[in-house]
């Protein structure tokens, strides 16, 4: 009881079930960097495990701590640290996978070191809960808009996610 009370005071939710996922996706670049021109398709992947720790954020959003890696293209990668999920809000539902400590992309003196985000949107009410998607069908439901971004201080690489396959287990 003391752990639950402490978690409530800190805004933490009760521990959720851990989940492991491997995502393979393709990005069609809409905002290029250097030799990565708009229209270029880049392969990407994310492997991560949520550790069961979650905390509520504003607007009913739930953050799920995670560890793993996300990568795109040739050698651009970063450490996954969280998966964000919204459900049943008045706006679109959201699943976002976020990485930091990104390495592997630098152009004209600008280092693109994060954050790196894979963000999937579904119609409001698509997600019945703020739990991470488990099945391919649940990932496919998040098809209203699918985007990718990798930020630098004054610029970003961005694109649309045109293909995504997921294999998850809990």
């Amino acid at each position: 009881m003391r752990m639950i009370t402490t978690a409530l005071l800190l805004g933490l939710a009760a521990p959720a079930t851990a989940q492991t996922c491997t995502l393979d996706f393709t990005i069609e670049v809409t905002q290029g960097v250097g030799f990565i021109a708009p229209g270029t398709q880049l392969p990407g992947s994310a492997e991560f495990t949520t550790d069961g720790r979650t905390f509520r954020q504003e607007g009913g959003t739930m953050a799920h701590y995670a560890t793993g890696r996300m990568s795109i293209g040739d050698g651009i990668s970063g450490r996954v640290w969280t998966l964000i999920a919204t459900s049943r809000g008045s706006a679109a539902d959201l699943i976002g996978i976020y990485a930091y400590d990104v390495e592997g992309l630098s152009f004209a003196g600008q280092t693109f070191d994060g954050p790196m985000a894979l963000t999937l949107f579904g119609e409001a009410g698509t997600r019945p809960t703020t739990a991470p998607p488990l099945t391919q069908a649940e990932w496919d439901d998040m098809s209203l808009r699918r985007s990718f971004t990798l930020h630098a201080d004054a610029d970003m690489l961005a694109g649309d996610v045109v293909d995504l396959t997921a294999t998850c287990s809990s």
Side-chain angles (χ1 to χ4, degrees):
M1 182 67 164
R2 178 180 219 149
M3 184 176 107
I4 293 171
T5 303
T6 302
L8 291 173
L9 289 173
L10 295 173
L12 299 172
T17 303
Q19 177 177 317
T20 299
C21 290
T22 299
L23 306 179
D24 291 303
F25 53 90
T26 303
I27 301 161
E28 185 167 324
V29 174
T30 56
Q31 180 172 332
V33 171
F35 301 110
I36 304 172
T40 301
Q41 290 199 343
L42 297 174
S45 66
E47 300 87 26
F48 61 88
T49 300
T50 61
D51 67 9
R53 293 180 301 149
T54 62
F55 69 94
R56 282 214 171 277
Q57 297 184 305
E58 56 279 342
T61 300
M62 184 66 73
H64 302 267
Y65 287 108
T67 56
R69 296 213 56 84
M70 185 184 316
S71 61
I72 61 161
D74 290 328
I76 303 168
S77 69
R79 294 187 303 159
V80 171
W81 69 278
T82 192
L83 180 142
I84 303 290
T86 63
S87 168
R88 300 181 182 198
S90 56
D93 286 355
L94 164 92
I95 298 294
I97 302 162
Y98 300 94
Y100 66 111
D101 289 341
V102 176
E103 300 174 330
L105 179 59
S106 183
F107 185 78
Q110 187 71 48
T111 301
F112 292 76
D113 55 3
M116 181 163 54
L118 181 70
T119 312
L120 311 175
F121 298 91
E123 297 285 344
T126 297
R127 300 282 309 137
T129 70
T130 56
L134 186 59
T135 67
Q136 181 68 48
E138 289 175 299
W139 288 96
D140 290 345
D141 285 344
M142 303 301 289
S143 61
L144 181 62
R145 180 163 173 11
R146 296 172 161 214
S147 64
F148 172 87
T149 56
L150 169 55
H151 295 271
D153 288 335
D155 201 356
M156 78 174 166
L157 172 66
D160 295 324
V161 178
V162 295
D163 184 39
L164 183 136
T165 58
T167 304
C168 300
S169 61
S170 58

